[in-house]
């Protein structure tokens, strides 16, 4: 449905925060309504000459009319040429691995989102992908792994869940391209507010839209974004991959429903002010607990003492996002008790919402977890920073007392 035709086309040179706030200036063609209509059709009627009035046939094939706005806005925020919405971040991420030919070699981070590590172990490898995992902070190891045999794809996530290890994205893009591999980036944690991977050489961006993009803990969604064409030239390998991904979504059906699509677009409108405040609060908390007697280390790329700080400062702008982890002193159960003692931080998995969450990742991930046992992961929300600091102070203090 070409809603835009009824209004002046939205200027592509508006800055990302402007594009997010106004959702690229879309209107309901029927009424001028500023929020988009929610069209619930799973199928779409044809006229007496068998034409589809809006080019839509079936929800799994083309999605709902709301897709066009949310995909255009997310493509615009990343500076990409196209985007596709999925039913979850995992649906988007695994689509990339599923469209690769059998036997394809993929190089992935040793530390990244646990669900993807698990999918590659349970399905990717057993179904014929040659999966090689590397420590992404060791660029020599990344280069050696990519050069050891023809490689289809290098995957990165920075800062990476749950240790917030920073990856040098521009260097990885270079390594991948010299070897003829594509370079894909999970940009969920920094969001395009803080990192724009296409400017650093990425070919493909993936998002869990569940997290900061939606931002309100009420939608599970994902995105893939296609890189812009360099100098407008067609790039056959990248474009063939994108067409395969579109076909994959049509034929396997990991689509987002119309109601969730509406909520997702509403959340994205406030992405910029949310990220600015969340990142400022996370920085304040990281600095406060960096010198704390009950904390042995704070993992946060915004701290000058963090091993990833120099690279993060180069590839992130305006802040370092809202995720940090505290390593708690004492026996490892003290970190679990700290989470148990929180009163304002909510004990829950996930991240990127307006409410602050605390998670003992090792306990959540269960057998096979590589998360440090002494670590609690924090997702910072929009509460007053002083209340968050006070809550952690009392939780750490009680956990330390309980040990004696
Ligand atoms: C949550 C998350 C995913 C998975 O997304 P879902 O929407 O939960 O499927 C992937 N990568 C990162 C970094 C995440 O935080």
């Amino acid at each position: 449905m070409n809603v835009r035709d009824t209004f002046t086309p939205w200027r592509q040179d508006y800055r990302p925060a402007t594009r997010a706030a106004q959702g690229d200036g879309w209107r309901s063609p029927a009424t001028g309504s500023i929020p988009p209509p929610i069209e619930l059709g799973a199928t779409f009627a044809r006229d007496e000459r068998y034409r589809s009035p809006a080019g839509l046939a079936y929800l799994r094939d083309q999605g709902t009319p709301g897709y066009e706005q949310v995909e255009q806005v997310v493509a615009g925020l990343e500076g990409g040429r196209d985007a596709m919405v999925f039913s979850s971040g995992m649906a988007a991420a695994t689509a990339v691995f599923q469209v690769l030919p059998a036997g394809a070699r993929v190089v992935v981070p040793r530390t990244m989102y646990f669900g993807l590590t698990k999918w590659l172990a349970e399905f990717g490898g057993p179904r014929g992908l040659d999966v090689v995992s590397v420590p992404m902070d060791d660029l020599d190891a990344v280069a050696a792994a990519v050069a050891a045999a023809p490689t289809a794809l290098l995957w990165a996530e920075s800062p990476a869940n749950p240790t917030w290890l920073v990856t040098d994205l521009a260097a990885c893009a270079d390594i991948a391209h010299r070897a003829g591999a594509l370079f894909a980036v999970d940009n969920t944690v920094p969001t395009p507010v803080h990192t724009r991977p296409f400017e650093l050489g990425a070919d493909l961006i993936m998002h869990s839209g569940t997290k900061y993009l939606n931002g309100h803990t009420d939608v599970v969604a994902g995105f893939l974004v296609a890189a812009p064409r360099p100098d407008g030239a067609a790039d056959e390998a990248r474009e063939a991959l994108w067409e395969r991904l579109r076909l994959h979504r049509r034929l396997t059906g990991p689509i987002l429903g119309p109601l969730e699509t509406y909520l997702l677009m509403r959340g994205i409108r406030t992405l910029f002010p949310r990220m600015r405040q969340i990142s400022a609060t996370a920085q304040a908390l990281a600095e406060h607990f960096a010198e704390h007697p009950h904390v042995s280390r704070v993992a946060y790329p915004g701290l000058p003492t963090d091993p990833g700080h120099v690279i993060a400062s180069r590839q992130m702008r305006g802040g370092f996002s809202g995720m940090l982890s505290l390593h708690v002193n004492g026996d490892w159960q003290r970190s679990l008790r700290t989470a148990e003692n929180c009163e304002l931080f909510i004990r829950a998995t996930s991240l990127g919402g307006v409410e602050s969450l605390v998670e003992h990742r090792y306990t959540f991930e269960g057998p096979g977890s590589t998360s440090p046992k002494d670590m609690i992961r924090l997702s910072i929300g929009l509460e007053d920073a002083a209340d968050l600091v006070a809550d952690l102070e009392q939780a750490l203090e009680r956990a330390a007392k309980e040990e004696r």
Side-chain angles (χ1 to χ4, degrees):
M1 160 152 356
N2 218 340
V3 182
R4 268 171 302 161
D5 287 353
T6 52
F7 281 81
T8 314
W10 188 250
R11 278 170 43 185
Q12 303 286 307
D13 63 335
Y14 282 135
R15 289 166 180 78
T18 303
R19 296 186 66 170
Q22 291 211 11
D24 264 9
W26 289 58
R27 302 286 183 274
S28 160
T31 66
S33 165
I34 294 166
I38 302 172
E39 305 247 21
L40 291 172
T43 188
F44 299 86
R46 289 164 191 260
D47 67 13
E48 58 281 5
R49 294 177 59 198
Y50 222 73
R51 290 172 308 203
S52 305
L56 298 173
Y58 186 54
L59 187 61
R60 171 162 50 69
D61 286 342
Q62 297 91 11
T64 190
Y67 278 20
E68 213 178 315
Q69 179 185 23
V70 83
E71 290 178 344
Q72 186 188 309
V73 169
V74 169
L77 297 186
E78 289 290 14
R81 88 178 150 79
D82 199 5
M84 245 188 291
V85 68
F86 286 80
S87 54
S88 71
M90 280 300 290
T94 57
V96 178
F97 293 93
Q98 289 182 75
V99 301
L100 294 176
R105 180 183 167 87
V106 295
V107 175
V108 301
R110 186 174 290 167
T111 301
M112 64 172 168
Y113 181 71
F114 185 67
L116 189 54
T117 302
K118 193 163 169 65
W119 185 86
L120 288 167
E122 297 280 342
F123 297 99
R127 290 190 168 228
L129 289 180
D130 179 10
V131 183
V132 181
S133 65
V134 289
M136 296 297 281
D137 53 341
D138 181 350
L139 289 175
D140 292 337
V142 177
V146 170
T151 298
L153 181 74
L154 173 64
W155 185 272
E157 180 186 324
S158 182
N161 229 317
T163 58
W164 319 118
L165 183 83
V166 172
T167 297
D168 187 333
L169 298 178
C172 285
D174 226 47
I175 288 169
H177 294 155
R178 269 189 277 127
L182 291 171
F183 180 49
V185 176
D186 180 342
N187 203 34
T188 300
V189 168
T191 80
V193 175
H194 296 311
T195 302
R196 302 238 301 173
F198 290 144
E199 293 170 4
L200 303 166
D203 301 296
L204 192 68
I205 292 173
M206 174 249 142
H207 274 283
S208 169
T210 314
K211 313 296 170 55
Y212 293 111
L213 290 180
N214 180 64
H216 292 77
T217 329
D218 53 7
V219 170
V220 171
F223 285 97
L224 293 176
V225 191
R229 292 190 180 93
D231 313 319
D235 176 332
E236 279 174 29
R238 290 201 300 198
E239 275 161 42
L241 178 74
W242 191 249
E243 287 318 307
R244 293 290 288 169
L245 288 165
R246 194 167 282 292
L247 187 63
H248 169 91
R249 191 182 70 175
R250 285 178 82 129
L251 296 179
T252 63
I255 54 153
L256 196 68
L259 295 169
E260 289 81 0
T261 304
Y262 176 87
L263 288 170
L264 180 58
M265 188 57 240
R266 183 160 82 166
I268 289 171
R269 287 170 183 270
T270 56
L271 175 67
F272 280 76
R274 278 189 286 110
M275 288 315 292
R276 289 183 191 125
Q277 184 176 328
I278 282 170
S279 296
T281 304
Q283 181 76 36
L285 257 78
E287 287 170 9
H288 180 92
F289 289 100
E291 303 291 324
H292 195 277
H294 295 323
V295 175
S296 60
R297 186 168 83 83
V298 175
Y300 186 65
L303 289 176
T305 50
D306 191 272
H309 182 68
V310 172
I311 296 164
S313 303
R314 206 159 60 216
Q315 69 189 22
M316 301 183 80
R317 65 180 99 151
F320 297 89
S321 193
M323 297 304 298
L324 61 148
S325 292
L326 303 188
H327 294 261
V328 179
N329 278 327
D331 65 65
W332 77 260
Q333 287 92 343
R334 205 201 276 186
S335 63
L336 179 58
R337 287 199 306 276
T338 303
E340 289 168 353
N341 290 339
C342 284
E343 293 169 358
L344 178 58
F345 277 88
I346 300 166
R347 283 173 293 282
T349 193
S350 197
L351 61 96
V354 297
E355 314 86 354
S356 292
L357 307 181
V358 58
E359 175 154 74
H360 193 254
R361 208 54 207 167
Y362 177 82
T363 302
F364 175 79
E365 288 175 0
S369 171
T370 54
S371 284
K373 288 183 179 175
D374 67 345
M375 188 191 84
I376 52 171
R377 186 185 84 172
L378 305 175
S379 171
I380 301 304
L382 292 179
E383 303 89 342
D384 193 296
D387 287 331
L388 295 173
V389 166
D391 189 41
L392 278 175
E393 285 280 8
Q394 66 79 26
L396 284 162
E397 196 54 45
R398 275 166 55 201
K401 282 214 184 81
E402 284 158 11
E403 194 170 294
R404 285 182 207 124

